[in-house]
Amino acid sequence: VSSAEARAESEPPGRPAVEAGSRFLAEIGEQPAALLRLLEQRAAFERVAEEILARRATTIRMVGHGSSDNAASYGVYAFGLLPGWTALRDSISLTVYYGAELDMTGSTVLALSQSGRTPDVVDYLERARRSGAFTVAITNDTESALAAAADAVLSLEAGPEQAVAATKTYTNQVAALGLLAAHTAGLGARFTEELRVVAEIMAGLVPAVLERITNVAVSFSFAGRMFVIGRGAEFATAREVALKLLETCRVAAEPLTATDLAHGPVAALDALFPVWAIASDDETLPAVLEATARAREAGATIIASGSAADAVVGAAYTLPVPVPPTPLLSPLLSVVPGQLFAWALARTKGLDPDEPRGLSKVTLAR
Amino acid sequence: VSSAEARAESEPPGRPAVEAGSRFLAEIGEQPAALLRLLEQRAAFERVAEEILARRATTIRMVGHGSSDNAASYGVYAFGLLPGWTALRDSISLTVYYGAELDMTGSTVLALSQSGRTPDVVDYLERARRSGAFTVAITNDTESALAAAADAVLSLEAGPEQAVAATKTYTNQVAALGLLAAHTAGLGARFTEELRVVAEIMAGLVPAVLERITNVAVSFSFAGRMFVIGRGAEFATAREVALKLLETCRVAAEPLTATDLAHGPVAALDALFPVWAIASDDETLPAVLEATARAREAGATIIASGSAADAVVGAAYTLPVPVPPTPLLSPLLSVVPGQLFAWALARTKGLDPDEPRGLSKVTLAR
């Protein structure tokens, strides 16, 4: 289903043309409300958490593509830090294409798909269920094939997403993984309250960043490539910001952990190679500061975002975000400047971030 | 320790200046011999496999940075397809920076480091051992800190590697992971013979590709960015080829699975954005062919390598490799055209692939 077709289902024909990027921008702004809608699902999260505990299915296998896979990077930390479980972004191809038969008893599958129609994610879930896993669909469409195939369904509640590049679906996926992890650790009530505070902070953050972002983006109108660095829980943010730039701005943006940068890619840097650094006030900050110092030595222009953006020495641009009530929630705020930068840069380059060339809202590719 | 210092330890002062890239090229050519040296270690691999089985430590946690982490991508498939176990590239930051306390009984840690001195890999291994994991160091230096900290050591036997960008260490890491996986599945003897055949095929492949590669590289002298796609076991190859291009050619090369490409990055493609595709004759080939067709539609120039390179319709350049005795060994051959392309492109651009600016052989960065 192409993006145009997907919209045709939900909108009347002959609707007036809208300004390029207006849907993408509107959906960035809807994220706080989407987060609050997710919180209304907390009873379902509690039930799924209880089922995971009852089955002792404590190896968490996450699958998804694109933004969904980026959210899964966050899940590694949410489950690692809250219940202390091993969570992995599982290989879809190992199971679906190669037909490997892994024993998945003791595993919970969290299958992430906005539409619930991504074919190999559905296929993976069905195979994993037969291999003994407890399977959970996390999707906006609770009537989808993915939802039908799973043992349990968690509704993302992001609401209709019309821009091809995901924003509110991504942040609700991150929040959903955090919320589920918190419930498995008996911390669901506290996490819910913390998420509510983050939604409120985010509602103030969007207009504040929006006011400044076009001036920042203009400086990068001619940038064809970029590194986006983050570490730990913020690696998910680095991946997601890079994907938004690839999708909407035709920038070859590559996500790297702060440490990866030193292990090779730093050699590619020069003044024409900007580095977007996510610096959050947590245990990984020293690694991020070390990496940005190396990037600066190589002549790169640094854009620092995150709650510790001001700690990045020599950044050309600084886009700080507020400190959340718990460090594990910082990725929900850190991603906002990146989303808005992608919106502003696309417009600066004369591109329409609502409908990137060559992309559809629902990707059926293998 | 800088690259210059590392060499100073092993070479007499006053040695004559060598041609740019000659060490990198020599080490690419040494790979078949290095593989054969690894096979002499097969008794050690057998012992470690027996120990893993005896301890039932069948969750395989691999850690490493750069090329070592790329090799770990291969390990996911080697362990998934041979003994049918879950192997994951574990998060170093979760354990080392955040101090998460995961129960690692039932886990084997495979810590990959050329030098055995990568600080956070050593730190991870020590913590994992305290958390109940069986720990194995896979390194060229069996006297290193990593080797000293581990329950068992597997010597990579790549021999001194003087070019900063790894080649023979990477291929021996891939082979070592395959060999260990095969031994745990009771297939060690057969895999050893298959590896011997691959070493022989590789010895013929290097000069054959070398003859053609400069003509291919010249066409990309002005390319600043590239996607490198592969799927399944060849995703490791895609990651490694991209890293060589980043390290030695200042190209913003991003590795993507064939499916990732469709989920966003395809929107960034145009005629100035070449795509290197690894097409191997295995179950993932349809996904790779679908992705290259999409890239071609977007106007990208395709360079196809791998055993099924000739199946890629519309490729501008085709660099096929022979079919190995078993599909799981194809990554050892598929990486060779990419290594040689990086060597040739660096020289075309006037860069020295032996000593990329800003890199050291041993990376001590966090």
Side-chain angles (χ1 to χ4, degrees):
Chain A
V1 177
S2 75
S3 155
E5 285 166 336
R7 276 204 314 282
E9 292 169 15
S10 57
E11 292 190 11
R15 67 186 163 77
V18 293
E19 199 189 349
S22 63
R23 294 189 199 100
F24 189 55
L25 181 60
E27 289 166 3
I28 293 169
E30 287 165 24
Q31 291 178 111
L35 284 175
L36 294 177
R37 279 197 301 274
L38 181 74
L39 293 183
E40 291 168 21
Q41 299 293 312
R42 62 183 180 278
F45 280 81
E46 198 170 349
R47 278 195 303 274
V48 170
E50 282 166 7
E51 183 80 17
I52 293 172
L53 290 164
R55 294 182 183 227
R56 297 177 193 268
T58 59
T59 296
I60 308 296
R61 297 173 184 271
M62 296 170 289
V63 286
H65 291 295
S67 284
S68 302
D69 186 38
N70 298 344
S73 289
Y74 173 79
V76 171
Y77 295 88
F79 285 95
L81 291 172
L82 295 174
W85 295 346
T86 296
L88 61 142
R89 291 164 45 214
D90 205 10
S91 165
I92 292 173
S93 60
L94 185 60
T95 293
V96 171
Y97 295 111
Y98 293 106
E101 306 254 341
L102 279 67
D103 178 5
M104 293 199 190
T105 52
S107 288
T108 292
V109 164
L110 303 179
L112 298 150
S113 169
Q114 186 279 129
S115 67
R117 286 186 280 168
T118 315
D120 61 3
V121 172
V122 178
D123 195 348
Y124 171 94
L125 182 138
E126 289 169 344
R127 290 168 187 254
R129 192 173 176 180
R130 289 198 295 271
S131 300
F134 173 53
T135 57
V136 184
I138 303 181
T139 175
N140 279 323
D141 184 354
T142 56
E143 306 294 311
S144 61
L146 187 69
D151 293 300
V153 183
L154 292 173
S155 177
L156 270 179
E157 298 292 315
E161 195 172 50
Q162 297 185 337
V164 169
T167 51
K168 58 184 181 166
T169 294
Y170 168 77
T171 40
N172 271 28
Q173 286 171 330
V174 166
L177 291 168
L179 195 57
L180 185 60
H183 275 292
T184 61
L187 301 167
R190 194 172 90 189
F191 201 83
T192 298
E193 287 319 300
E194 289 167 339
L195 262 172
R196 205 181 295 281
V197 174
V198 165
E200 198 175 309
I201 296 172
M202 196 194 267
L205 177 62
V206 173
V209 175
L210 191 55
E211 206 165 278
R212 294 186 50 211
I213 202 69
T214 298
N215 283 341
V216 178
V218 163
S219 312
F220 298 95
S221 307
F222 296 98
R225 46 198 195 175
M226 197 176 288
F227 285 151
V228 187
I229 63 171
R231 187 95 206 248
E234 294 287 15
F235 184 52
T237 311
R239 296 184 76 206
E240 180 63 7
V241 171
L243 182 57
K244 294 308 105 173
L245 292 169
L246 281 162
E247 287 177 316
T248 64
C249 302
R250 296 192 198 160
V251 171
E254 179 163 2
L256 296 167
T257 73
T259 310
D260 281 343
L261 180 74
H263 284 262
V266 69
L269 288 175
D270 58 27
L272 299 174
F273 211 135
V275 174
W276 182 286
I278 296 135
S280 282
D281 191 16
D282 80 357
E283 291 83 347
T284 64
L285 183 60
V288 173
L289 296 181
E290 194 172 307
T292 51
R294 285 190 74 136
R296 218 177 51 248
E297 274 167 36
T301 302
I302 314 284
I303 311 117
S305 71
S307 63
D310 291 327
V312 176
V313 179
Y317 300 93
T318 307
L319 294 161
V321 304
V323 176
T326 176
L328 190 56
L329 284 172
S330 70
L332 289 172
L333 300 174
S334 303
V335 76
V336 170
Q339 294 170 330
L340 289 168
F341 179 79
W343 168 80
L345 183 59
R347 286 167 50 99
T348 297
K349 295 176 89 164
L351 301 169
D352 181 359
D354 284 348
E355 299 197 43
R357 184 188 52 182
L359 289 188
S360 319
K361 185 67 194 166
V362 177
T363 306
L364 301 176
R366 276 185 280 215
Chain B
V1 176
S2 75
S3 156
E5 284 166 337
R7 275 204 314 283
E9 290 169 15
S10 57
E11 291 187 15
R15 67 185 164 76
V18 293
E19 199 190 348
S22 63
R23 294 189 196 98
F24 189 54
L25 180 61
E27 289 167 3
I28 293 169
E30 286 165 24
Q31 290 178 112
L35 284 175
L36 294 176
R37 279 197 301 274
L38 181 73
L39 294 182
E40 291 167 22
Q41 299 293 312
R42 62 185 179 278
F45 280 82
E46 199 171 348
R47 278 195 304 275
V48 170
E50 282 166 7
E51 182 81 16
I52 293 172
L53 290 164
R55 294 183 184 226
R56 299 176 191 267
T58 60
T59 294
I60 308 296
R61 297 173 185 269
M62 297 170 290
V63 286
H65 291 295
S67 284
S68 301
D69 185 40
N70 298 345
S73 289
Y74 174 80
V76 171
Y77 295 88
F79 285 95
L81 291 172
L82 295 173
W85 294 346
T86 296
L88 62 142
R89 293 163 46 213
D90 205 9
S91 166
I92 293 173
S93 59
L94 185 60
T95 293
V96 172
Y97 294 111
Y98 293 105
E101 305 255 341
L102 279 67
D103 177 6
M104 294 200 191
T105 53
S107 289
T108 292
V109 164
L110 304 179
L112 298 150
S113 169
Q114 187 279 129
S115 66
R117 285 187 281 168
T118 316
D120 62 4
V121 172
V122 177
D123 195 347
Y124 171 94
L125 182 138
E126 288 168 345
R127 289 168 188 254
R129 192 174 176 180
R130 288 198 295 270
S131 301
F134 174 52
T135 57
V136 184
I138 303 181
T139 176
N140 278 323
D141 184 354
T142 57
E143 306 294 312
S144 60
L146 187 68
D151 293 299
V153 182
L154 291 172
S155 177
L156 270 180
E157 297 292 316
E161 195 171 51
Q162 297 184 337
V164 169
T167 52
K168 57 184 182 167
T169 293
Y170 168 77
T171 40
N172 271 27
Q173 285 171 330
V174 165
L177 291 169
L179 195 56
L180 185 60
H183 275 292
T184 60
L187 300 167
R190 194 171 92 189
F191 200 84
T192 298
E193 286 320 301
E194 290 167 341
L195 262 173
R196 206 181 295 282
V197 174
V198 165
E200 201 174 304
I201 296 172
M202 195 195 266
L205 177 62
V206 172
V209 174
L210 191 55
E211 208 165 274
R212 296 184 50 210
I213 203 69
T214 298
N215 283 341
V216 179
V218 164
S219 311
F220 298 95
S221 306
F222 295 100
R225 46 199 193 173
M226 198 176 288
F227 285 151
V228 186
I229 63 171
R231 186 95 207 247
E234 294 288 15
F235 183 53
T237 312
R239 296 184 76 205
E240 180 63 7
V241 171
L243 182 58
K244 294 308 104 170
L245 291 168
L246 280 163
E247 286 176 318
T248 65
C249 302
R250 296 190 200 162
V251 172
E254 178 162 2
L256 296 167
T257 73
T259 309
D260 282 343
L261 181 72
H263 283 263
V266 69
L269 288 175
D270 59 28
L272 298 174
F273 210 134
V275 174
W276 182 285
I278 296 135
S280 281
D281 192 15
D282 80 355
E283 290 83 347
T284 64
L285 183 59
V288 173
L289 296 181
E290 195 173 306
T292 51
R294 285 190 74 134
R296 219 177 50 250
E297 275 166 36
T301 302
I302 314 284
I303 311 118
S305 70
S307 63
D310 291 326
V312 177
V313 179
Y317 300 92
T318 307
L319 295 162
V321 305
V323 176
T326 177
L328 190 56
L329 285 172
S330 69
L332 289 172
L333 300 174
S334 303
V335 76
V336 170
Q339 294 169 330
L340 288 168
F341 179 78
W343 168 80
L345 182 59
R347 286 166 49 98
T348 297
K349 295 176 90 164
L351 301 170
D352 181 359
D354 285 349
E355 300 198 42
R357 182 189 51 181
L359 291 187
S360 320
K361 186 67 191 164
V362 177
T363 306
L364 300 178
R366 276 188 281 214

